[in-house]
């Protein structure tokens, strides 16, 4: 049985590496913003803390949406129209959810 060379595997599936790095970066930025916001709140800096916490939550919520958008761009570049269409449908569903979920 022949093993798969890790370099060949990475060359075959660069989309997974790009998307994994994007999710990791988004999670780290969100965690940093939340940690600094909570620390400032504990230290009594209540003017800036809620904004940092809100920014951290927005980054945390926006990371998966950005992942779908980046995947769509990669699929279009690879001319994989089937998955590009699926990504577009998911982005439209998220946009519709945001629009109709705002409340009145």
């Amino acid at each position: 049985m022949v093993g798969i060379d890790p370099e060949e595997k990475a060359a075959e599936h660069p989309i997974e590496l790009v998307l994994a790095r994007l999710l990791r970066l988004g999670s780290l930025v969100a965690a940093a913003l939340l940690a600094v916001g909570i620390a400032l709140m504990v230290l009594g800096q209540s003017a800036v803390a809620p904004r940092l916490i809100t920014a951290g939550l927005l980054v945390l919520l926006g990371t998966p949406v950005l992942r779908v958008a980046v995947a769509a761009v990669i699929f279009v570049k690879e001319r994989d129209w089937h998955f590009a269409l699926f990504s577009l449908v998911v982005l439209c569903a998220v946009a519709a959810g945001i629009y109709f979920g705002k409340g009145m």
Side-chain angles (χ1 to χ4, degrees), residues 12-63:
E12 289 178 11
H13 302 288
I15 186 171
E16 285 90 2
L17 294 175
V18 171
L19 297 178
R21 288 179 182 149
L22 177 67
L23 289 174
R24 186 178 306 121
L25 179 65
S27 299
L28 290 173
V29 169
L33 287 169
L34 289 168
V36 171
I38 291 170
L40 289 176
M41 188 173 283
V42 169
L43 294 173
Q45 300 293 329
S46 60
V48 179
R51 292 181 184 192
L52 287 175
I53 292 172
T54 301
L57 291 173
L58 288 174
V59 169
L60 191 62
L61 290 171
T63 299

